[in-house]
């Protein structure tokens, strides 16, 4: 049974940093990513990576401030977020997909991800 468990969320001041972790169990995935959902807003793409090609994709809102990586030995995906802003406040979800996106825009398509974690809250205070 596949499980994705996020951790690392919390309260941080604007300008600070957080590192989110997503521990996967049950199998390994070549493509994993992060999405987020703020109160009253739709879920939005943050970042994803295809480790078979090393292609990483970031949303414009986090580009330059976020880095997605993986600790293969622990089957864990990490999202390092720096220079956090209050608008980064959201529940962050880890996601994994069984197929590789054929185009860059498909990395951001949440419907292509079969597995989701329960989320971790990130709150950035002004």
């Amino acid at each position: 049974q596949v499980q994705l468990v996020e951790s690392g969320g919390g309260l941080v001041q604007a300008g600070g940093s957080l590192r989110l972790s997503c521990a996967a169990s049950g199998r390994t995935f070549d493509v994993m990513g992060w999405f987020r959902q703020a109160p009253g807003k739709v879920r939005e793409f943050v970042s994803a990576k295809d480790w078979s090609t090393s292609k990483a994709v970031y949303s414009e809102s986090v580009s330059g401030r976020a880095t997605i990586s993986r600790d293969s030995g622990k089957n864990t995906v990490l999202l390092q977020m720096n220079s956090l802003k209050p608008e980064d406040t959201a529940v962050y979800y880890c996601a994994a997909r069984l197929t590789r996106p054929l185009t860059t825009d498909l990395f951001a398509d949440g419907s292509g991800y079969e597995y989701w974690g329960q989320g971790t809250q990130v709150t950035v205070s002004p």
Side-chain angles (χ1 to χ4, degrees):
Q1 182 178 359
V2 174
Q3 279 192 318
L4 303 178
V5 179
E6 303 95 336
S7 62
L11 174 64
V12 64
Q13 287 188 330
S17 299
L18 277 178
R19 188 176 75 168
L20 305 181
S21 297
C22 173
S25 60
R27 64 164 293 160
T28 58
F29 296 91
D30 282 336
V31 183
M32 294 185 70
W34 292 89
F35 291 75
R36 68 186 182 186
Q37 187 166 19
K41 295 188 177 181
V42 299
R43 182 182 65 196
E44 67 170 349
F45 169 75
V46 177
S47 176
K49 186 170 182 176
D50 180 347
W51 271 274
S52 67
T53 62
S54 296
K55 180 178 179 65
V57 180
Y58 297 91
S59 68
E60 288 188 9
S61 61
V62 304
S63 181
R65 301 189 295 120
T67 303
I68 189 169
S69 62
R70 183 167 72 175
D71 182 338
S72 299
K74 297 182 179 179
N75 203 20
T76 297
V77 174
L78 308 172
L79 181 69
Q80 177 70 39
M81 295 277 294
N82 301 320
S83 302
L84 285 162
K85 306 174 183 179
E87 50 263 44
D88 292 319
T89 295
V91 177
Y92 284 69
Y93 297 93
C94 174
R97 56 182 292 160
L98 298 173
T99 57
R100 294 172 52 199
L102 298 179
T103 58
T104 299
D105 62 307
L106 289 179
F107 280 84
D109 183 357
S111 66
Y113 293 78
E114 290 88 355
Y115 300 97
W116 293 82
Q118 292 182 325
T120 185
Q121 175 71 46
V122 172
T123 303
V124 183
S125 62

